[in-house]
Amino acid sequence: MVGPLLWLLGADRLGCNKAAIRGWWCPCPTLWLVVPRSPLTRTIIWFRRDLRCSDHQPLLEASRLGAVLPLFVLDRQLLFHPETGVARVAFLLAALQALDCDLRQRGGRLLVRFGDPAAELLRLVREGGAAGVVAHTDSERIVGRVRDARVNRLLAAAAVPVHWVEPVGAVAGLVPYPRYRQLWQQDVARAPLPAPRQLVVPAPADPERPADPADPLADLPIPSLEALGLQPDGKPLPPAGSTAAHGLLSTFLEGPAAQTYYWELSVPSARVTSGLSPHLKFGVLSPRQVVARLAPLADHPDSRRQRSGRQLISRLRWGTSMAQRFRYMPQLELSSLWQCFDQEPWPFSEELYAAWKEGRTGFPIVDAAARCLLGSGGWQELNFRSRAICASFLTNLCGIDWRFGALHFMRHLIDGDCPIDHYQWAMQAGVTQREPQAWTRIYHPGAVAMQRCDPQGVFIRRWLPELAELTNDQLACPPPMAAYPAPILSYEQARRERIRQLAVRRQAGPASNAAQQLAVMPGQPLPFGADRIPAAVVEWARQERAELFPPPLELAALDPVAQTALESWFRPGVRQGPSRPAPEAPRRRGARARLDPNQLQLELWP
């Protein structure tokens, strides 16, 4: 967190003098609010990926200063982004319904609008009597940062103050990764902020009449998928809202899953995942709230539950650290970390790609994962090991650009989070390492994968019912049968070719001048694969040198100290200063030796 910030909530516009202004110090030392003493003060709380009432600093502080206008804008550019999943939007709408209920219990309500966020915010300021806007920063997607830069420009031109608050676990400036770990631990160790007891939200112009869309304060219903121009895809949705999320966390803490989570989280049939990932993605729960609930496990008499608590906390930190990487380098949404991997197109086979997407590769563990994604949205059963095997197959064995895999996953994942998923895909493809001697994990999709992930075949039989009658030994490599395809490739041959391809590209990336070898932000940030999605809305990406907020790092302008700090995020061996990360929880007996430190694992899909 950064130091105190001064914010004048439209005092000059309301004709307030110094005697009419009071200052108020927030419990969290990041924000200094100077607001008119007038009870007519109204503040827009712009909800985005923070759909909760508790541990929400902007909502709590603004509610203590006067009336609030809680707003969520359904942005067409996000709803029709090439990587938007329909089921994820459905879950978002359910989470908005739950947030609206929580706000109404406190005397408030949620204003949900559809359109351009900048225009809707300005309209609510002018016609709803708001003095300013407060929102959490959001670094997930380039389209969102283009949107927020546009909001800044439009509201600044209208002399409307906008205050941005860093979400839990985020840091505004560039710091070395070991220092970030310290800051993250300090941030989540604070007690979660309470929800406001009472909210004052101004009523519509005429509360007795049906809602009028022309009224900026109208109490409009939250639209359906169909009303937004989207068609449901049949995926079952997780329970939405903060109450449901806390219930999932309680079930995890009190049930048997917490005894084995620390080592069974890589076994899809074990079903020990917490189920929190969709709620964390949309901020229905904050990392600080989860850590606070996990605190009792630190002193639990069962050491297994202690280790599970530490494991889940490490995954929370790992997830927010992915968002921080994209805060610095939003181009990672579009490119591999190192330029040498994207200078030439990778080979592409539409036939292999279609077989992988539809679960027709002839490798049961891969096909089961593919069908689980299509059938369930992956939020509970498709754990990190299953996703790793699926990603490794497409990139390392089919030889297809990892961005095609990320595109498909994001169009179906209910818990899809761009920084986590994109960087995970890149890591599994081996394109986050440019050293010629770097080692890339390539999963064997047959017996080895099954023995490691699904030794009893529970996961495979659930998603591949045509193999239900086979023995466990046969599930690794099914005999020829009419109901299931033969393998579409030879593992050994494909593996050798992938190792050769990576070696050639790594030779194009010399070990020196690391900052000059990093991916650069393209002039037009067109989403990868937009041409494959006819309904995609990408006009926002066609402007040359679009402004982003928060702004990305200017790689060419980094001095040596800053270069070292940035490199520490992507090469764990790079250290800066005396800070060192806390030791990880001990590995369980019999686990494999530690892998190459540059090869991070898929670690945040709990």
Side-chain angles (χ1 to χ4, degrees):
M1 291 296 184
V2 294
L5 299 173
L6 186 67
W7 183 34
L8 183 63
L9 250 182
D12 55 332
R13 296 168 56 231
L14 297 178
C16 299
N17 55 33
K18 292 183 179 180
I21 297 176
R22 64 184 173 90
W24 195 82
W25 181 252
C26 303
C28 185
T30 62
L31 181 61
W32 174 258
L33 297 180
V34 180
V35 299
R37 190 184 294 272
S38 168
L40 300 179
T41 297
R42 297 178 180 180
T43 306
I44 296 174
I45 307 299
W46 184 17
F47 284 94
R48 289 109 70 77
R49 297 212 306 153
D50 49 358
L51 306 183
R52 61 185 185 273
C53 290
S54 300
D55 203 31
H56 196 295
Q57 180 188 335
L59 178 65
L60 179 63
E61 309 309 348
S63 69
R64 290 172 171 173
L65 299 168
V68 295
L69 299 174
L71 174 69
F72 188 92
V73 182
L74 291 160
D75 185 354
R76 183 169 176 268
Q77 294 177 337
L78 276 171
L79 291 174
F80 293 94
H81 188 281
E83 291 189 357
T84 292
V86 174
R88 196 159 62 251
V89 176
F91 178 77
L92 164 66
L93 296 176
L96 292 176
Q97 293 277 9
L99 175 61
D100 182 56
C101 290
D102 290 345
L103 292 170
R104 290 179 189 273
Q105 290 176 2
R106 294 165 174 81
R109 56 195 170 91
L110 183 64
L111 304 175
V112 178
R113 301 293 182 261
F114 175 82
D116 173 27
E120 291 297 326
L121 286 165
L122 187 58
R123 178 184 177 224
L124 194 55
V125 167
R126 289 174 170 170
E127 301 178 23
V133 178
V134 193
H136 282 115
T137 59
D138 182 8
S139 302
E140 184 194 8
R141 283 205 171 277
I142 293 174
V143 61
R145 293 165 79 158
V146 172
R147 168 203 64 204
D148 291 351
R150 186 172 65 252
V151 166
N152 281 339
R153 290 194 304 271
L154 185 63
L155 296 191
V160 177
V162 182
H163 184 73
W164 301 99
V165 179
E166 295 299 330
V168 176
V171 178
L174 175 59
V175 297
Y177 181 63
R179 176 58 180 157
Y180 171 80
R181 289 175 59 120
Q182 293 177 337
L183 294 173
W184 187 90
Q185 290 165 355
Q186 293 169 8
D187 198 8
V188 300
R190 297 189 179 98
L193 297 173
R197 293 185 177 180
Q198 187 71 25
L199 293 172
V200 176
V201 177
D206 190 348
E208 302 301 323
R209 301 185 62 181
D212 181 4
D215 182 355
L217 301 178
D219 194 358
L220 302 176
I222 296 172
S224 64
L225 278 176
E226 292 84 354
L228 296 173
L230 300 170
Q231 293 300 316
D233 62 7
K235 293 183 177 67
L237 298 181
S242 294
T243 300
H246 280 283
L248 285 172
L249 186 52
S250 296
T251 299
F252 173 81
L253 293 173
E254 299 164 5
Q259 292 181 317
T260 57
Y261 172 84
Y262 70 96
W263 69 273
E264 277 194 327
L265 78 169
S266 63
V267 181
S269 59
R271 293 195 175 191
V272 297
T273 55
S274 67
L276 297 176
S277 52
H279 303 278
L280 292 168
K281 185 267 187 305
F282 286 109
V284 176
L285 278 180
S286 74
R288 186 156 49 206
Q289 289 177 300
V290 179
V291 170
R293 293 286 305 279
L294 291 173
L297 292 186
D299 300 318
H300 199 281
D302 188 340
S303 62
R304 297 171 299 174
R305 291 182 179 272
Q306 293 181 22
R307 295 178 67 178
S308 291
R310 291 197 298 267
Q311 188 75 274
L312 184 49
I313 289 174
S314 73
R315 277 147 179 73
L316 290 172
R317 184 187 67 243
W318 199 92
T320 50
S321 77
M322 285 296 106
Q324 192 67 29
R325 286 171 170 87
F326 276 55
R327 172 76 172 264
Y328 298 144
M329 296 181 62
Q331 57 266 41
L332 296 179
E333 178 182 337
L334 309 175
S335 310
S336 302
L337 175 61
W338 303 104
Q339 297 178 27
C340 59
F341 293 107
D342 296 339
Q343 290 174 346
E344 298 291 337
W346 293 93
F348 180 77
S349 166
E350 197 71 60
E351 182 180 357
L352 290 179
Y353 187 44
W356 172 81
K357 290 193 299 181
E358 297 165 12
R360 298 185 289 102
T361 69
F363 293 91
I365 192 69
V366 176
D367 292 340
R371 297 192 198 178
C372 177
L373 172 67
L374 296 176
S376 73
W379 68 280
Q380 193 165 37
E381 285 192 72
L382 195 63
N383 64 14
F384 81 88
R385 188 69 67 191
S386 304
R387 300 187 192 201
I389 293 171
C390 204
S392 179
F393 186 91
L394 181 71
T395 58
N396 293 322
L397 299 182
C398 296
I400 292 176
D401 192 320
W402 65 267
R403 292 171 289 188
F404 283 101
L407 172 66
H408 177 66
F409 261 48
M410 289 298 293
R411 288 185 63 79
H412 290 280
L413 286 172
I414 294 177
D415 61 359
D417 187 285
C418 180
I420 295 172
D421 287 277
H422 276 238
Y423 203 71
Q424 294 283 25
W425 269 95
M427 284 193 294
Q428 291 305 315
V431 298
T432 57
Q433 307 169 67
R434 66 191 178 99
E435 293 78 7
Q437 72 278 12
W439 177 83
T440 298
R441 170 179 248 171
I442 301 178
Y443 287 91
H444 191 301
V448 175
M450 182 181 170
Q451 291 167 6
R452 186 179 180 103
C453 298
D454 194 22
Q456 303 303 317
V458 176
F459 179 67
I460 291 175
R461 288 188 176 90
R462 169 167 166 72
W463 293 103
L464 302 179
E466 63 268 38
L467 304 183
E469 301 304 319
L470 297 183
T471 65
N472 291 345
D473 291 341
Q474 291 175 317
L475 284 177
C477 184
M481 52 193 305
Y484 189 69
I488 60 175
L489 54 77
S490 164
Y491 165 74
E492 293 296 343
Q493 181 180 345
R495 183 179 183 276
R496 286 194 299 269
E497 175 59 17
R498 181 61 172 183
I499 292 173
R500 185 196 67 80
Q501 290 176 341
L502 290 174
V504 169
R505 303 213 180 197
R506 284 168 179 161
Q507 289 175 358
S512 59
N513 301 320
Q516 298 178 15
Q517 299 295 322
L518 290 168
V520 296
M521 188 71 189
Q524 291 185 333
L526 190 68
F528 182 86
D531 57 328
R532 301 179 66 90
I533 313 299
V537 174
V538 292
E539 290 83 359
W540 59 271
R542 300 192 186 280
Q543 55 180 307
E544 194 67 29
R545 298 294 173 188
E547 181 185 359
L548 272 62
F549 180 84
L553 291 177
E554 293 289 343
L555 299 180
L558 297 181
D559 59 30
V561 174
Q563 289 185 25
T564 302
L566 180 60
E567 197 173 355
S568 71
W569 283 86
F570 302 104
R571 300 176 65 193
V574 176
R575 303 296 181 201
Q576 184 176 41
S579 302
R580 297 188 62 86
E584 296 290 344
R587 297 174 64 86
R588 64 187 178 93
R589 182 174 301 175
R592 296 178 60 184
R594 181 177 296 277
L595 301 174
D596 183 289
N598 289 328
Q599 177 66 25
L600 300 179
Q601 303 303 307
L602 278 114
E603 284 190 331
L604 186 75
W605 284 321

